Amino acid sequence: MGRTSDGRERLLAAAARLLGQRPYNAIGVAEICAEAGVQKGSFYYYFESKQALALAVVDAHWEIQGAQWAQILSAPVGIRERLQNLFTLTAEVQTDSLRDTGAITGCLFGNLALEMRGQDEVIRDRLQVIFEEQLDLIEAALTQAVQAGDLAPSLVPARDTARALVAQLEGLVLFAKVFNDPAQLDRLWITSLNILGTTGAAPVTPATPEVGTPAS
């Protein structure tokens, strides 16, 4: 049965690695177990299905990434610096994946959302909740910035601006994956300024928080 004390964690880590390399539908339970060093018969002690494991991977990923986003977007600095730090974190994750695996893995949520459309409503619905939570975090930061006078009021609702920022972040991460080039993310800053309807130089040395290890 393997080491029951850490079998679940090893399955989660193995599934996360494999999902960074190949589509969900191309990965089988046997392969995940082999990657984790857990006997296949023990898999169902921890998870009732591959879908259940995928949902656990998604939740574990968002637990780390969500904490990082919350810390960055609530920091006591200007909205431009907060967004720049968020984009820097995103670029660092993709650069790390290129260094460690030789390939840009992209965004776990975006990858699964594209693959699961029309195939698995349970996973799709969970991803939708996570994307809405991302919008919540950015919308709150934008609203606070307007109230503090750090950002000019706009006729565009803060929710729509947050949606545009998340959409361009996801889109450029996809470009980085397609071209296997994290430099595609260099465009995040200038395009975000256009979305915000403002100008300004990016911070020279943006700080990123020490909250776990971002998965992708």
Side-chain angles (χ1 to χ4, degrees), residues 23-24 33 44 47 62 75 100-101 110 127 152 154 167 177 179 189 200 202 205 216:
Y24 170 83
C33 291
Y44 297 100
F47 302 100
W62 179 235
D100 296 341
T101 69
L127 294 170
S154 172
K177 181 176 181 178
F179 291 98
W189 180 245
T205 55
S216 63

Side-chain angles (χ1 to χ4, degrees), residues 93-162:
V93 170
Q94 301 307 321
T95 299
D96 288 347
S97 77
L98 179 62
R99 182 193 64 234
D100 296 341
T101 69
I104 297 290
T105 58
C107 170
L108 173 66
F109 305 141
N111 294 344
L112 283 174
L114 289 173
E115 184 182 359
M116 293 294 102
R117 185 176 63 86
Q119 294 189 36
D120 191 314
E121 292 187 1
V122 175
I123 294 178
R124 185 200 64 192
D125 289 347
R126 178 60 185 130
L127 294 170
Q128 181 176 326
V129 169
I130 289 173
F131 281 123
E132 291 291 348
E133 290 175 355
Q134 290 181 347
L135 295 179
D136 289 342
L137 290 169
I138 295 181
E139 179 185 14
L142 294 173
T143 300
Q144 185 274 332
V146 170
Q147 293 172 346
D150 187 36
L151 188 65
S154 172
L155 295 177
V156 179
R159 187 72 171 188
D160 289 345
T161 300

Side-chain angles (χ1 to χ4, degrees), residues 11-181:
L11 286 166
L12 282 170
R17 286 193 300 272
L18 291 171
L19 284 170
Q21 299 166 11
R22 300 205 314 281
Y24 170 83
N25 287 320
I27 303 169
V29 169
E31 182 180 7
I32 295 170
C33 291
E35 176 76 14
V38 173
Q39 294 180 11
K40 185 177 179 181
S42 302
F43 177 91
Y44 297 100
Y45 174 81
Y46 300 106
F47 302 100
E48 64 181 19
S49 64
K50 187 177 79 166
Q51 181 196 71
L53 172 59
L55 289 169
V57 170
V58 166
D59 287 341
H61 182 112
W62 179 235
E63 182 178 1
I64 294 173
Q65 188 191 80
Q68 292 173 322
W69 279 42
Q71 183 174 340
I72 289 171
L73 291 169
S74 64
V77 295
I79 188 63
R80 295 163 187 79
E81 187 172 350
R82 277 180 268 176
L83 288 174
Q84 178 65 14
N85 288 342
L86 180 63
F87 300 155
T88 296
L89 173 65
T90 301
E92 287 177 347
V93 170
Q94 301 307 321
T95 299
D96 288 347
S97 77
L98 179 62
R99 182 193 64 234
D100 296 341
T101 69
I104 297 290
T105 58
C107 170
L108 173 66
F109 305 141
N111 294 344
L112 283 174
L114 289 173
E115 184 182 359
M116 293 294 102
R117 185 176 63 86
Q119 294 189 36
D120 191 314
E121 292 187 1
V122 175
I123 294 178
R124 185 200 64 192
D125 289 347
R126 178 60 185 130
L127 294 170
Q128 181 176 326
V129 169
I130 289 173
F131 281 123
E132 291 291 348
E133 290 175 355
Q134 290 181 347
L135 295 179
D136 289 342
L137 290 169
I138 295 181
E139 179 185 14
L142 294 173
T143 300
Q144 185 274 332
V146 170
Q147 293 172 346
D150 187 36
L151 188 65
S154 172
L155 295 177
V156 179
R159 187 72 171 188
D160 289 345
T161 300
R163 195 180 308 277
L165 290 169
V166 170
Q168 71 136 3
L169 187 152
E170 284 291 329
L172 287 174
V173 168
L174 177 60
F175 269 44
K177 181 176 181 178
V178 169
F179 291 98
N180 204 36
D181 176 18

